[in-house]
Amino acid sequence: MSVQFARWTGGDAGGGHVNDPATNTEATIKIELQRLGEWKRKQLPDVPSGRSLARALAVSPTTVSDWLRGRRTPQTCDILLTLIRMIRGEAQRRSLLGCHVIGSDGETVAQLLDEQRWRAIYERDSHRRIQLGRLTAEAWRARASLEEQHRRTGHSVAPAPSLPVRSWTARQLGVHAAIGSESTLLPDEDFVLPTFVPRPHDTALKELLSAAVKRDENKLVLIRGDSCTGKTRSAFEAIREVVPDWDLSNFGTAESLRASLDIDGIKPRTVLWLDSGHRYLYGAVGESIAAALLERLDKSRGPVFTLITLWREHDHTLTSDPLPGQEDTHLQARLLLTRAHRIIVPPDFNGEMHAIREASATDASLAQALGVGTPAITQNLAAGPALLDHYNNPAGVEGIHGRALIIAAVDARRLGVNGPLPIEFLRAAAPGYLTGSQRAEADPENWLTAALAYAELRVKRVVSALHRLPSINGMGPRPGVVGLADYLEQHESSVRRFVCPPATFWTAAVEHFPATDLQRLGRAAAARGRFRHAASLYHAVADSGDTTALTLVGQIRETVGATVEAERAYKRAADDGHAVAMIRLGLLYEKAGELGSAESWYVRAAEAGNPGAIMRLAQLREKQGELAEAELLYMRAAEKGHVRAMLRLASMKEKQEDPSSALEWRKKAIDAGGESKLLRIAQKRERDGDWTSAAKIYELAAECGGTYALVLRARLYQRRGDPEAAERLYRKAADAGNTGAIVHLGQICEKNGDWITAEQLYHQAVDAGNTGALLHLARLKGKSGDNAGAGDLCRMAADAGEPQGLIHLARACNRRGDHVAAEALYREAATRGGATALFRMARLRNRNGDDERAAFLYQQAADAGNPAALVRLARLMEKEGDRTRAEQLYQQACDGGDSNAVAELIRLRKHSDKPLTYGLEADGSPSGRW
């Protein structure tokens, strides 16, 4: 196949302008293409043939035929001009350019085939289509918005207001109300704000922001702590003192933040207020937000402060490296959060109780909180424990039914619903959370009113499990929707992490949530093996107008082996122009060995502008040994910004012994991809075992200026047994300020017996803010026999947010035979968010053959909320021959949303009397064909 790359996206058309008989607005490009086709069929019926045109343009012959009959338009002007050139060339060879076009008013063939004329027609028609598309899109959006508001009240997105910091109240910015008397009320009606008692982290935050103001620099700050520990109040007090005259933008949704970043709508001297930051940083939208924030941090005119509050578990999830073989779904968020200055908010006021007692003499709220008798002052102020008691111990029938509404709300939040919760959704979902006798006790007419009243009851006049939300544009509550108390959300999301919601939850969701929430719920259902419900949710997304969801339906159909239905879903999405569906069809046919059909779908996706499809075509050519054509296609994909294609071209040029071209393509990859995209590619290559390619890409990523790429490349060299190269790269990263590299250098010195230098390096890393280095110092202390000093350092690390310090202490207790103390420390590590640390330590034991210890640690990690640990534990049970226990663990991990567990459970039950061919029902039983 002959492919001409230069005509895909670029190239000078050339040719002079001549009189255009088709300059009127009615002469659209389709009409002109139809005229051209009629002339060619009469004057040049066989040359150039449709097949030769198609091969040269990398499209199908049908596409060329459609163009020359005016049914479709070439994707780009350059493709059109290539078509014209080929036809004109043949006309010139046959001396036809001076002839007149039959049926025209004196037009010559040269004028008909003039490139400049066709360029003008294409540009005019393109402009007309863009204008029409804008009008159509605006009308569709307006209509969809109105329909959505009528059908699902409360899901419209308001623009983020930007007002001076001093104009915002604590209540508007999400500070929790507190228990108290009328004397402590603010003008915010019944909102109580107690006396602010600063702790060390408050001082650190204010100093950090003040220094940034003096240096006129951007600052990204992560304020981490559990719910109701004072994170938001700390941030509120800091900005009110340091930058009261700056603007503050408070974003209601992730989509609103992304839109503001996309249009660069953030001015200097602005605070970006990202309270409950997990709402902004998960999923594809979250990754795009993180990437935009990283770019703003590095390149934008400052100063801008970005303040993010996060719970511990979300911080651990977003900053943990992916496990071997798993997709890196949080790369951008991890890169962003590793750049943040961390402020750790402790859960209590242990060191400030004297100040609390002094303030309580004149503050009724603090006096009441102090009276509870624990140092968890902020939780007591927010009535968190009392709210939990109200939820866990419902009073009467209305309490039991109200608790069902609350559980449905918790499940919606933990599985991805970010917006307001429709009351009608809670009504429809609630029956699945009740027993038959509890449902029978309900008054059919009034049960919802009574249940809502219980769920909305304000505990200690401060907080309710479900609460009304303010109207977007007016006074009073937003009709038909409620919010959920975040203290309850955090607590119960942890308790219910391995519970799959009942069928009523999924069916109610289809009817009452907008497309963005449905898509996230669909992913949650699919990850739990509830394929029927996932498909139903995705179909609802498609019915709302977003037919890209049909591609996800197709993938689910493929998973259960229903390739015919998968093909049908992909084709429906492809008919709406979705290139990803076309690529999936190509993959489906390629897998079946139908390479001709696969190629045609890749071609269609390429025509739709998807560079990944061109990449697939190139890979197909390469497999077939057509290297020259593969190279041309890689070049096309590269010209469209496809970084992997650029890297592939670099490799091909190296094999062709053309180092200068290889270097040029690598430079283009750097310019097009930046550090984060290159890191994703490199990590995948490393997981696939292609270490040479991974090392080269890490080197490219490092050239973008990031130090994380240097560390990853050094680790790769360590694994490959090249310690000298690894040390050289660690030093380079350390010199650039990467504290992790300093720790790695310390480990190398420690391994070589140079404990003095190792200790100096660990101290240097700690001083630079790397709390994990405390654990390495602790290990050195232990080696030197100073067990007490080692224990103190481990405890310091745990208090600084490194729960692995507690794991080290637990191991020391086990070595001494104090298993009771060890168990207590493991539990404490788990409650401090140490599931990842526990899992990694268990995996290390597993690799070393200590299955018994690995099983214990996997169980601890699972208890701390890590479903992947259940999968590993189940594999150990299988290894021991206990298939029943293994199946139970896989099922539990399935319910917790681990897609690997779904695959393992399907495998385990493949030959049983209850196979899971079509996935699971909500209650865990096998689904029938759907």
Side-chain angles (χ1 to χ4, degrees):
M1 178 179 286
S2 173
V3 184
Q4 297 180 11
F5 164 69
R7 305 302 184 227
W8 186 270
T9 57
D12 183 10
H17 180 70
V18 297
N19 180 43
D20 180 7
T23 53
N24 65 80
T25 56
E26 295 302 317
T28 66
I29 193 167
K30 287 187 177 180
I31 293 172
E32 287 300 293
L33 283 167
Q34 189 176 19
R35 280 206 321 126
L36 173 63
E38 288 173 358
W39 175 84
K40 183 182 180 302
R41 283 189 290 276
K42 291 176 182 177
Q43 300 298 320
L44 297 172
D46 300 320
V47 286
S49 69
R51 183 167 294 278
S52 63
L53 287 169
R55 288 170 71 87
L57 295 166
V59 298
S60 67
T62 303
T63 297
V64 174
S65 176
D66 285 347
W67 289 345
L68 293 177
R69 293 182 186 279
R71 294 170 183 161
R72 296 168 64 185
T73 304
Q75 187 69 24
T76 69
C77 185
D78 295 301
I79 293 175
L80 171 65
L81 295 179
T82 303
L83 176 73
I84 298 300
R85 285 189 200 111
M86 293 184 70
I87 297 173
R88 183 185 176 97
E90 190 60 37
Q92 186 173 11
R93 277 191 291 275
R94 298 199 177 200
S95 301
L96 296 176
L97 293 180
C99 299
H100 287 86
V101 178
I102 297 172
S104 70
D105 188 15
E107 182 186 14
T108 66
V109 174
Q111 290 173 325
L112 173 68
L113 297 174
D114 178 62
E115 291 183 29
Q116 199 68 10
R117 168 182 175 278
W118 281 98
R119 184 189 294 278
I121 293 172
Y122 188 95
E123 289 176 354
R124 184 173 62 247
D125 194 78
S126 178
H127 178 73
R128 181 185 64 80
R129 283 185 283 111
I130 289 170
Q131 292 298 107
L132 180 62
R134 283 177 181 163
L135 291 172
T136 303
E138 287 172 7
W140 186 90
R141 280 195 295 269
R143 183 171 66 253
S145 177
L146 286 172
E147 289 174 355
E148 188 71 11
Q149 288 182 37
H150 284 303
R151 192 161 69 92
R152 295 166 178 156
T153 305
H155 287 284
S156 57
V157 177
S162 186
L163 300 169
V165 167
R166 61 160 49 95
S167 301
W168 292 89
T169 66
R171 186 179 208 172
Q172 289 171 322
L173 294 182
V175 176
H176 285 290
I179 56 178
S181 64
E182 294 299 321
S183 62
T184 55
L185 294 181
L186 283 184
D188 271 316
E189 206 175 291
D190 57 350
F191 185 83
V192 176
L193 192 69
T195 301
F196 182 64
V197 178
R199 288 176 277 176
H201 70 271
D202 294 299
T203 304
L205 176 57
K206 289 176 184 177
E207 289 176 350
L208 179 69
L209 297 181
S210 297
V213 171
K214 290 177 182 177
R215 289 193 292 267
D216 204 38
E217 66 181 7
N218 293 325
K219 188 62 65 177
L220 170 66
V221 184
L222 170 60
I223 306 163
R224 193 188 81 176
D226 288 340
S227 177
C228 297
T229 53
K231 303 182 301 298
T232 310
R233 179 72 186 275
S234 182
F236 174 74
E237 295 293 341
I239 59 170
R240 295 262 294 187
E241 180 175 323
V242 178
V243 287
D245 298 321
W246 284 24
D247 281 346
L248 182 145
S249 293
N250 185 15
F251 302 93
T253 64
E255 289 75 15
S256 172
L257 171 57
R258 185 173 67 173
S260 295
L261 292 168
D262 285 346
I263 62 173
D264 198 23
I266 297 164
K267 303 179 298 183
R269 295 171 61 83
T270 295
V271 176
L272 301 185
W273 187 261
L274 307 186
D275 194 29
S276 298
H278 62 282
R279 306 270 168 84
Y280 304 97
L281 295 177
Y282 278 107
V285 173
E287 283 290 271
S288 66
I289 286 171
L293 287 172
L294 270 169
E295 184 176 2
R296 170 167 286 280
L297 197 65
D298 289 331
K299 299 179 181 178
S300 71
R301 59 196 188 283
V304 171
F305 289 171
T306 304
L307 301 187
I308 304 174
T309 66
L310 274 180
W311 296 341
R312 283 176 309 162
E313 53 264 40
H314 291 301
D315 185 25
H316 279 291
T317 299
L318 290 168
T319 56
S320 294
D321 290 331
L323 298 171
Q326 286 191 348
E327 184 183 357
D328 193 351
T329 56
H330 306 304
L331 175 63
Q332 301 289 346
R334 183 167 65 255
L335 290 172
L336 177 72
L337 295 178
T338 52
R339 296 276 300 277
H341 293 265
R342 270 177 165 68
I343 300 294
I344 307 299
V345 180
D348 51 43
F349 277 72
N350 265 323
E352 292 76 30
M353 291 304 292
H354 178 70
I356 290 289
R357 292 188 187 93
E358 285 188 347
S360 68
T362 56
D363 189 303
S365 295
L366 289 176
Q368 287 193 56
L370 196 59
V372 177
T374 71
I377 298 298
T378 51
Q379 292 92 326
N380 297 333
L381 282 169
L387 176 63
L388 204 57
D389 180 68
H390 177 74
Y391 163 79
N392 281 325
N393 300 291
V397 174
E398 65 276 9
I400 292 170
H401 296 161
R403 187 173 188 272
L405 299 179
I406 298 167
I407 300 174
V410 168
D411 282 348
R413 278 280 183 264
R414 71 185 178 90
L415 296 184
V417 175
N418 284 336
L421 301 164
I423 292 171
E424 284 304 311
F425 158 75
L426 300 178
R427 176 210 287 268
Y433 295 91
L434 299 167
T435 65
S437 60
Q438 289 170 340
R439 294 197 304 274
E441 291 177 326
D443 179 345
E445 299 296 328
N446 301 314
W447 79 268
L448 180 64
T449 303
L452 268 177
Y454 184 89
E456 293 179 330
L457 183 68
R458 297 185 68 191
V459 178
K460 291 184 178 283
R461 296 193 305 159
V462 171
V463 64
S464 56
L466 301 180
H467 54 268
R468 298 288 173 158
L469 300 169
S471 172
I472 294 175
N473 299 315
M475 304 297 289
R478 213 180 306 182
V481 295
V482 293
L484 174 68
D486 60 359
Y487 184 86
L488 204 54
E489 177 187 343
Q490 184 186 29
H491 186 276
E492 285 306 296
S493 291
S494 174
V495 170
R496 294 182 58 78
R497 61 171 66 96
F498 294 124
V499 178
C500 182
T504 54
F505 172 91
W506 303 109
T507 54
V510 169
E511 296 297 324
H512 297 290
F513 284 122
T516 51
D517 286 337
L518 290 175
Q519 194 125 347
R520 285 188 286 266
L521 289 172
R523 284 195 291 270
R528 286 162 175 77
R530 273 61 181 189
F531 298 139
R532 180 173 69 85
H533 290 301
S536 178
L537 290 157
Y538 289 144
H539 274 299
V541 175
D543 291 343
S544 73
D546 183 3
T547 51
T548 56
L550 291 170
T551 304
L552 299 170
V553 173
Q555 289 176 257
I556 290 174
R557 289 292 190 180
E558 272 197 84
T559 300
V560 300
T563 53
V564 174
E565 290 89 344
E567 182 182 7
R568 190 180 303 130
Y570 290 144
K571 282 184 174 176
R572 282 184 58 195
D575 288 342
D576 278 357
H578 298 306
V580 173
M582 298 173 194
I583 293 173
R584 295 295 308 187
L585 278 165
L587 290 169
L588 201 64
Y589 286 121
E590 191 175 342
K591 187 177 179 181
E594 299 178 33
L595 299 186
S597 297
E599 179 180 335
S600 66
W601 280 110
Y602 292 148
V603 165
R604 278 190 60 181
E607 290 172 9
N610 189 298
I614 307 172
M615 186 77 178
R616 288 286 178 188
L617 272 174
Q619 290 169 324
L620 197 59
R621 292 285 171 272
E622 198 170 359
K623 282 181 185 177
Q624 295 167 335
E626 300 176 13
L627 299 183
E629 292 178 9
E631 183 176 341
L632 289 170
L633 287 163
Y634 282 132
M635 290 175 70
R636 290 186 175 183
E639 288 298 318
K640 287 181 172 289
H642 203 290
V643 177
R644 285 202 303 275
M646 298 173 193
L647 296 173
R648 185 69 198 124
L649 283 165
S651 298
M652 292 180 84
K653 292 300 179 184
E654 278 186 345
K655 288 180 181 178
Q656 295 166 10
E657 298 184 354
D658 185 355
S660 61
S661 295
L663 180 62
E664 185 65 28
W665 279 115
R666 285 206 175 90
K667 287 179 179 177
K668 286 183 178 180
I670 292 172
D671 294 338
E675 182 188 13
S676 58
K677 190 180 289 186
L678 290 168
L679 285 180
R680 276 202 305 274
I681 296 168
Q683 288 175 312
K684 186 178 187 305
R685 298 281 175 87
E686 187 177 346
R687 287 197 299 272
D688 294 342
D690 186 358
W691 286 5
T692 302
S693 178
K696 288 179 180 177
I697 300 171
Y698 282 137
E699 184 178 3
L700 285 175
E703 290 178 27
C704 296
T707 58
Y708 187 49
L710 288 170
V711 173
L712 291 176
R713 188 175 169 218
R715 280 167 49 184
L716 181 63
Y717 279 122
Q718 269 190 306
R719 295 189 186 111
R720 292 176 62 180
D722 190 348
E724 292 180 1
E727 184 175 353
R728 185 171 62 253
L729 288 166
Y730 283 138
R731 290 194 183 282
K732 188 174 179 181
D735 291 342
N738 188 293
T739 60
I742 300 171
V743 171
H744 282 296
L745 286 170
Q747 288 177 290
I748 291 172
C749 291
E750 186 180 345
K751 186 177 180 180
N752 294 337
D754 186 358
W755 289 10
I756 295 174
T757 304
E759 184 173 0
Q760 291 171 346
L761 286 165
Y762 293 146
H763 275 296
Q764 182 183 340
V766 170
D767 293 341
N770 190 312
T771 53
L774 289 166
L775 298 173
H776 297 282
L777 282 171
R779 187 179 59 250
L780 276 182
K781 290 282 187 185
K783 283 183 177 180
S784 63
D786 185 359
N787 292 327
D792 290 342
L793 286 165
C794 285
R795 181 58 74 173
M796 283 174 62
D799 292 341
E802 293 288 343
Q804 197 163 344
L806 297 171
I807 298 170
H808 284 301
L809 286 174
R811 290 171 63 193
C813 288
N814 269 326
R815 285 194 294 270
R816 294 196 305 269
D818 190 351
H819 301 302
V820 174
E823 184 72 26
L825 284 164
Y826 280 125
R827 281 198 300 271
E828 186 182 351
T831 58
R832 290 200 184 205
T836 302
L838 287 163
F839 181 84
R840 292 186 185 281
M841 188 164 289
R843 208 176 61 202
L844 181 63
R845 294 288 184 184
N846 206 166
R847 283 200 298 263
N848 293 338
D850 187 356
D851 288 354
E852 183 179 352
R853 194 75 199 141
F856 173 78
L857 289 167
Y858 280 139
Q859 186 63 64
Q860 295 291 323
D863 292 344
N866 190 323
L870 286 171
V871 176
R872 296 295 183 112
L873 184 57
R875 288 173 183 164
L876 285 177
M877 295 299 103
E878 272 198 270
K879 184 179 174 182
E880 292 177 7
D882 191 347
R883 287 174 60 88
T884 302
R885 177 62 178 150
E887 184 175 332
Q888 292 171 346
L889 290 165
Y890 284 137
Q891 178 75 62
Q892 190 180 356
C894 262
D895 293 346
D898 190 289
S899 55
N900 289 325
V902 177
E904 295 284 13
L905 192 59
I906 290 173
R907 173 190 59 78
L908 196 65
R909 291 176 57 173
K910 185 174 183 178
H911 301 295
S912 72
D913 58 344
K914 293 182 179 179
L916 300 176
T917 308
Y918 301 103
L920 299 162
E921 287 300 316
D923 63 1
S925 61
S927 280
R929 186 180 180 88
W930 43 270

